[in-house]
DNA sequence: CCAGATTTCTTTAAGTTTCAAGCAATTGGC
DNA sequence: GCCAATTGCTTGAAACTTAAAGAAATCTGG
């Protein structure tokens, strides 16, 4: 018993290396895919990933969203969205108007041109993603979906437990 | 048969929604965890995530690495590393010297102080990660590792097939 | 040896991102 | 109605990021 506790001493203060390796692998996968998508978007459509992401959010809601909504959905800061929207309005992709009921609120929508351009990009984008995940069987995909859902819940719980607000 | 092909028409041009949803979920998970780690690093140690990541790379290799090595390992651009290293040398965390054998090459290492500080941060960091993944069973972790490995390989293959270099 | 190609790193411009501070509008309690 | 707190957004500073172009050193094949 004494011997046993000695041999295991190195990993005694709890063994958390597996979770760390998992996190690094998750990060590597995402970085890899994100970089690939970013390259293709630039090369094929000369658009940045953040702009594409913002347009993707808006495409789902024809009646438009507030900046706060976008900010929450994209999980980025308010100030970030302000700047992104500014440039997309400038380039004619977005339409922006102040809410009638609350003059603090800015409602943004895709313009007709913006929507058309986004749909064109989104169609190709979907094929890229399919190609990137080509080696995964439908069962792999289902299983990953399940495990990532569990991961998300776990992470959210951990964040909430800490205090959540800085 | 004619009827069948008509009813399926909407999803005929290939069905790739599952992969897209999987990608979005993967991205959500990573963004969520990354944000949580970023917050904690700032709050607890007043350090940014990129600096922590760079120091983590260097901690694994006491004899030091070149900027190119770091750039490849972190999957970020060369210019990015140049700036990061500049600031970390400035703050005394990194030591930098020109290689004797190749005067283009800059070798960087953690200073004694830098290493001590990193080790302190890394110990807590590992606990945060363990907490974030708390709900996953050891089996879940193994399974995720396996599926993400497969995903990584698939994504790399897809990137290579495209041409890889922009 | 030498010219051209390659590699390593830096620089530049533009854009993204966060955090913190601040302003304006709204809401809620009294 | 009024004041305080909250909410929605903007601004400013600093840092991060990429892509592209450039400088310096090395390598390669004559």
């Amino acid at each position: 018993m004494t011997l046993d506790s000695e041999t295991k001493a190195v990993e005694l203060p709890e063994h958390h290396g597996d979770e760390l390796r998992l996190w690094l692998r998750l990060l590597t996968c995402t970085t890899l895919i994100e970089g690939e998508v970013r390259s293709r978007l630039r090369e094929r459509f000369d658009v940045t990933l953040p702009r594409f992401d913002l347009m993707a959010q808006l495409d789902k809601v024809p009646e438009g969203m507030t900046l706060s909504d976008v900010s929450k959905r994209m999980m980025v800061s308010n100030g970030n969205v302000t700047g992104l929207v500014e440039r997309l309005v400038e380039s004619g992709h977005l339409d922006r108007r102040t809410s009638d009921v609350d003059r603090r609120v800015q409602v943004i929508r895709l313009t007709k041109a913006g929507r058309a351009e986004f749909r064109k990009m989104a169609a190709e984008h979907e094929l890229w993603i399919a190609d990137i995940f080509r080696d995964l069987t439908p069962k792999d995909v289902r299983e990953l979906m399940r495990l990532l859902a569990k991961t998300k819940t776990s992470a959210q719980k951990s964040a909430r437990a800490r205090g959540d607000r800085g």
Side-chain angles (χ1 to χ4, degrees), chain A residues 58-164:
Chain A
L58 290 177
D59 186 55
K60 291 189 286 194
V61 187
E63 67 273 22
M65 308 170 62
T66 69
L67 295 205
S68 289
D69 287 343
V70 174
S71 162
K72 272 168 212 144
R73 292 232 205 175
M74 293 180 73
M75 296 193 279
V76 299
S77 67
N78 267 346
N80 189 349
V81 173
T82 295
L84 268 172
V85 166
E86 216 162 62
R87 290 183 285 270
L88 279 168
V89 168
E90 168 78 21
S91 65
H93 293 87
L94 260 52
D95 169 70
R96 162 200 217 137
R97 58 183 176 72
T98 302
S99 164
D100 296 327
V101 286
D102 185 337
R103 271 173 304 176
R104 290 169 306 180
V105 175
Q106 303 286 316
V107 179
I108 53 174
R109 282 176 307 184
L110 285 173
T111 60
K112 198 163 176 172
R115 183 174 304 277
E117 189 168 333
F118 172 74
R119 291 283 170 85
K120 204 170 40 124
M121 296 191 291
E124 280 203 38
H125 174 262
E126 190 167 320
L127 297 181
W128 302 338
I129 299 299
D131 187 63
I132 286 169
F133 286 95
R134 181 192 295 287
D135 284 359
L136 274 64
T137 67
K139 190 184 162 197
D140 287 339
V141 173
R142 277 197 307 277
E143 190 64 1
L144 256 180
M145 285 290 278
R146 184 181 73 77
L147 290 169
L148 290 175
K150 201 168 174 180
T151 300
K152 181 179 167 188
T153 304
S154 183
Q156 283 173 329
K157 195 195 295 182
S158 173
R160 229 171 307 112
R162 181 178 61 100
D164 220 82

